[in-house]
């Protein structure tokens, strides 16, 4: 006998419990809006389960292992810091358990927050019936199907990894999700794509002991960032022993399936032996498989088109996060989610951030907030820019910080800061100061005239501003 379909009604129905969807649901519930969130998998989406958090956990674990291994390999007396370590060993299963524990704590916390604020969570796969009706196939096959009727429908279904036709996922060809839960460290890892995931996770595996080769179609690594910023990263990767094959296209696996065939710009073909192949060539909005096409919403390429309030082309149907395209970053999804909830509650909000920070958690890290000198010029702005190198920063030296710098970009006429960039160990934490300064309309004089604690990496921020004004003190 066919199970009876139950019908529920709600004011706001959110499809997807990632950082976009769960933040929207929490804020809406806080504001007293009857809210239901449908999530097919574990709450927290890509970010908490198979993205930002697990990758940063493994980056940290790999760095710790690499450090002790470096001390051990450098031999008695060779470590500059006077630290000596004997035969370090990696218990990878424990590393993965530790990472999973962090993920569980955070995803459990999201569930608790939703409950605390009174949002209803339905576990199951949502399919759109029309702009106000969604059918949910419950995760528990024995449970009855559910029909939910809403006033506002918020689409937050996120994105999925792009697959390469020449190297389909399966067997030894894996994506980030599998790379984040390894059962073993492969002796030889080939990474396809020198973007965020390729370089963050490529670095992890190299530090855990794999031989790593990264194949990139374009002629430089991290092509989305300017070359001045990526230079120290590329130098560090080479020093770490990562091989970069730039300007190369992958042709597929060889006949025995244990090597990747790669063609360079001259048409020369080589085989790269591989025990595992990580394909990380981008992500695309998840627009298929849940009836979205039936709404005939306006699209921007593969992404849903939204206005500056995250409204789609259908009244009371909203979309946020990766589903709406680039930049596909968790903090953007969260900010959009919070805003949509407030608009539905009657507040006047627009999504018009002065800048959305981007951080690449390579070693060293890269931060970009606002305009670079090149993007400012493209936008027709007359700007000046100045760098302060970490080589002249005491705190960086005490942390063995190595190469890197902070760069400020400001309008020449009134010194309004329009961009900050940095590359260096630990600079991800400077993104907060950068974002604040741009969002609050700071000028060079504001950054230069603020007392920065000594000794900190942040002093390089003040010094970059001082240098732009022509009177740096420590260089
Ligand atoms: P998602 O997080 O993808 O969530 C969408 C949710 O919707 C999923 O849980 C999915 O199960 C659910 N869903 C989809 N369709 C349905 C349906 N029909 N029914 C029910 N549920 C459905 N970003 C950063 O800002 N910083 C980082 O350091 C960072 N690192 C990353 C590392 C990796 C390896 C990856 C893959 C991504 C990383 N990102 C990072 C990107 C970040 O994870 C995404 O930008 C973010 O998760 C997008 O949030 P979202 O809410 O739009 O979608
Ligand atoms: P990406 O867009 O960052 O990098 C993909 C790389 O693959 C690019 O350099 C591209 O030129 C290259 N490429 C494309 N096709 C190729 C081919 N056929 N052969 C070889 N190289 C090819 O994508 P990603 O690394 O998969 O990450 C996906 C998205 O996830 C990112 O764009 C970002 O939005 C998000 N993410 C963010 C962070 C972070 O914020 N720190 C970390 C990981 C992922």
């Amino acid at each position: 006998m066919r199970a009876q379909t139950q019908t529920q009604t709600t004011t706001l129905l959110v499809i997807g419990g990632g950082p976009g969807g769960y933040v929207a649901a929490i804020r809406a519930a806080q504001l007293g809006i009857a809210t239901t969130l449908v999530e097919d998998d574990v709450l927290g989406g890509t970010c908490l389960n198979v993205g930002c958090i697990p990758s940063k956990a493994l980056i940290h674990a790999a760095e710790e292992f690499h450090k002790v291994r470096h001390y051990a390999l450098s031999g008695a007396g060779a470590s500059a810091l006077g630290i000596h370590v004997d035969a370090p060993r990696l218990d990878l299963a424990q590393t993965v358990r530790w990472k999973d524990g962090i993920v569980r704590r955070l995803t459990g916390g999201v569930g608790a927050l939703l409950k605390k604020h009174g949002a209803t969570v339905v576990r199951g796969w949502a399919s759109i019936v029309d702009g106000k009706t969604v059918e949910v196939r419950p995760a528990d096959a024995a449970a009855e199907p559910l029909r939910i009727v809403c006033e506002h429908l918020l689409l937050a279904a996120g994105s999925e990894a792009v697959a390469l036709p020449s190297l389909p996922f399966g067997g030894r060809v894996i994506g980030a999700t599998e790379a984040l839960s390894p059962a073993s460290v492969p002796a030889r890892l080939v990474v396809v794509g020198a973007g965020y995931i390729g370089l963050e996770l490529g670095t992890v595996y190299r530090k855990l002991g794999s031989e790593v080769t990264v194949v990139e179609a374009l002629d430089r690594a991290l092509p989305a960032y300017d070359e001045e910023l990526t230079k120290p990263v590329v130098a560090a990767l080479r020093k770490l022993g990562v091989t970069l094959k730039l300007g190369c296209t992958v042709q597929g696996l060889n006949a025995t399936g244990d090597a990747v065939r790669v063609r360079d710009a001259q048409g020369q073909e080589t085989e790269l032996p591989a025990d595992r192949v990580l394909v990380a060539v981008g992500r695309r909005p998840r627009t298929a498989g849940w009836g979205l096409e039936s709404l005939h919403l306006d699209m921007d390429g593969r992404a849903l088109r939204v206005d500056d309030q995250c409204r789609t082309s259908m009244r009371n149907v909203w979309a946020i996060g990766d589903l709406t395209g680039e930049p596909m970053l968790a903090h953007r999804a969260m900010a959009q989610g919070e805003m949509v909830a407030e608009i539905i509650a009657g507040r006047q909000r627009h999504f018009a951030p002065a800048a959305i920070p981007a951080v690449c958690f390579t070693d060293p890290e890269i931060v970009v907030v606002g305009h670079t000198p090149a993007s400012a010029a493209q936008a027709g702005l007359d700007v000046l820019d100045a760098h302060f190198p970490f080589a002249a920063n005491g705190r960086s030296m005490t942390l063995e910080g190595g190469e890197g710098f902070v760069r400020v970009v400001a309008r020449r006429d009134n010194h309004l800061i329009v961009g900050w960039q940095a590359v260096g160990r630990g600079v991800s934490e400077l993104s907060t100061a950068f974002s604040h300064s741009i969002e609050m309309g700071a000028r060079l004089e504001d950054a230069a005239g603020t007392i920065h604690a000594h000794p900190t990496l942040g002093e390089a921020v003040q010094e970059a501003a001082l240098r732009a004004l022509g009177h740096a003190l420590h260089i």
Side-chain angles (χ1 to χ4, degrees), residues 33-338:
I33 298 168
T35 303
T36 298
L37 181 151
V38 187
E39 170 55 61
D40 185 56
D41 209 328
V42 181
L43 288 169
T46 305
C47 169
L48 295 193
N49 291 288
V50 291
C52 323
I53 295 298
S55 60
K56 272 73 235 179
L58 288 193
I59 286 169
H60 174 68
E63 170 60 18
E64 294 301 297
F65 180 61
H66 175 68
K67 245 188 244 168
V68 289
R69 219 160 65 117
H70 166 76
Y71 290 141
L73 291 177
S74 56
S79 165
L81 275 68
I83 299 169
H84 304 281
V85 177
D86 293 324
R89 194 176 57 81
L90 179 74
D91 178 352
L92 184 66
Q94 172 53 28
T95 308
V96 172
R97 272 197 298 278
W98 168 76
K99 178 264 301 177
D100 288 342
I102 295 170
V103 169
R104 260 198 312 278
R105 274 214 302 284
L106 289 169
T107 56
V110 168
L113 287 169
L114 286 163
K115 193 169 171 195
K116 176 180 156 195
H117 293 292
T120 304
V121 175
V122 174
R123 279 285 317 280
W125 185 254
S127 294
I128 289 177
V129 177
D130 60 40
K132 294 206 179 303
T133 318
V134 163
E135 218 156 64
V136 183
R137 194 177 64 228
D140 172 3
E144 288 166 351
L146 186 65
R147 185 171 268 243
I148 306 175
V149 180
C150 62
E151 268 176 54
H152 294 272
L153 178 59
L154 174 54
L155 312 175
S159 62
E160 57 202 358
V162 170
L164 282 179
S166 60
L167 269 180
F169 292 120
R172 68 180 69 195
V173 181
I174 61 169
T177 298
E178 296 76 25
L180 289 168
S181 289
S184 62
V185 177
R188 294 159 309 182
L189 175 73
V190 170
V191 178
V192 184
Y196 278 101
I197 295 176
L199 294 193
E200 288 186 3
L201 295 187
T203 301
V204 165
Y205 275 85
R206 180 66 196 133
K207 288 182 176 174
L208 294 179
S210 297
E211 265 178 41
V212 175
T213 305
V214 182
V215 182
E216 165 60 46
L218 300 181
D219 60 1
R220 59 190 200 82
L222 288 175
Y225 286 98
D226 80 52
E227 206 160 0
E228 211 179 0
L229 290 166
T230 59
K231 235 170 147 179
V233 176
V234 169
L237 284 169
R238 294 220 158 98
K239 192 166 167 214
L240 193 62
V242 172
T243 306
L244 291 174
K245 295 239 167 237
L246 304 175
C248 289
T249 51
V250 288
Q251 307 298 304
L253 292 179
N254 66 354
T256 44
D258 56 4
V260 181
R261 291 187 295 117
V262 172
R263 188 174 295 162
D264 67 17
Q266 287 71 46
Q268 191 89 25
E269 217 173 275
T270 45
E271 286 192 0
L272 302 172
D275 301 293
R276 225 166 283 164
V277 184
L278 166 60
V279 173
V281 294
R283 293 180 65 82
R284 64 161 166 246
R286 193 186 281 120
T287 50
W290 49 289
L292 176 67
E293 59 288 348
S294 67
L295 295 182
H296 301 289
L297 300 176
D298 286 356
M299 305 293 288
D300 250 339
R302 286 181 167 278
L304 271 187
R305 175 175 296 172
V306 288
D307 67 8
D308 67 350
Q309 292 189 310
C310 291
R311 294 177 193 271
T312 67
S313 50
M314 185 179 277
R315 196 163 171 268
N316 290 350
V317 177
W318 314 72
I320 55 173
D322 286 8
L323 194 57
T324 62
E326 298 287 349
M328 293 196 202
L329 298 172
H331 41 280
R332 169 177 171 266
M334 291 194 242
Q336 291 177 321
E338 193 231 11

